Amino acid sequence: MIFDPMYFVFMIPGLIFMLWAQHRVKSSYGKYSKVANDARLTGAQTARRVLDNAGLQNVAIEQIPGELTDHYDPRSKKPGLSTGVAQQPSVAALAIVAHEIGHALQDNQGYAPLKLRGAIVPAVTVSSWVAPLLFFAGLLLGLTELAWVGVILFGASVLFALVTLPVEFDASRRALRLLQ
């Protein structure tokens, strides 16, 4: 079996960054999901009001299972709100809803970076689950090239996350305006 420590030089920074970001999101959600919003509106009620005010009455809101599974699907043109967000009248629910509605506004206005992200999602989805398999198979079988392919595919997932940051920042910027 061939082991090259350079594998980890490329993988560890991305893993640390992803774990840090995940921790920040979960801890903020945990803190602010316990704080009621002044309007006492649930996430679903807020989403409907904001969409209607933005002229997007035709956009349906979907409730989905899980925690922090909230997303906007540009294919179906629907924001998906996790059960807790959809049903809670919390500050966290308002923030998450506004962010996802920010994506709906991006889509409605033809925001180019959102289109680009949507175009590369299928490739990144496949590479994110194939990368660890190839990496560990390469290590176990002693195939250095295969392990490097896994590292490169993992790097593509990290690069995707970095490329999508402008989309996420823009959705959050729009969300702040919506909440004001």
Side-chain angles (χ1 to χ4, degrees):
M1 182 175 356
I2 299 171
F3 176 76
D4 185 349
M6 285 302 292
Y7 297 140
F8 296 107
V9 168
F10 288 98
M11 292 181 72
I12 288 178
L15 285 171
I16 289 171
F17 180 71
M18 287 189 310
L19 291 172
W20 173 81
Q22 185 178 36
H23 169 72
R24 290 287 312 263
V25 168
K26 285 187 176 187
S27 63
S28 293
Y29 176 76
K31 178 179 178 180
Y32 291 103
S33 65
K34 296 177 179 81
V35 178
N37 65 62
D38 291 339
R40 299 279 188 219
L41 292 173
T42 66
Q45 291 168 327
T46 302
R48 184 73 274 146
R49 282 190 181 185
V50 173
L51 285 167
D52 291 349
N53 287 340
L56 298 174
Q57 294 85 359
N58 60 333
V59 173
I61 302 161
E62 184 177 31
Q63 188 170 320
I64 54 175
E67 183 178 88
L68 293 176
T69 53
D70 311 273
H71 64 279
Y72 176 75
D73 183 353
R75 292 167 298 166
S76 67
K77 309 287 187 208
K78 290 183 195 173
L81 302 180
S82 61
T83 305
V85 168
Q87 296 176 0
Q88 279 184 19
S90 70
V91 171
L94 290 183
I96 290 169
V97 162
H99 177 84
E100 298 310 332
I101 301 306
H103 287 308
L105 292 173
Q106 288 174 332
D107 191 19
N108 186 55
Q109 295 169 356
Y111 186 61
L114 181 69
K115 289 181 179 182
L116 173 63
R117 181 175 100 169
I120 60 177
V121 163
V124 173
T125 301
V126 171
S127 73
S128 68
W129 67 266
V130 170
L133 297 175
L134 294 177
F135 174 72
F136 288 113
L139 285 181
L140 292 173
L141 299 173
L143 301 172
T144 305
E145 294 83 8
L146 186 61
W148 275 110
V149 169
V151 169
I152 291 167
L153 288 177
F154 176 77
S157 296
V158 172
L159 183 61
F160 172 77
L162 294 174
V163 166
T164 62
L165 281 177
V167 174
E168 297 303 322
F169 288 146
D170 182 71
S172 292
R173 182 182 53 78
R174 292 169 191 252
L176 287 173
R177 277 194 306 224
L178 291 172
L179 290 176
Q180 291 171 354

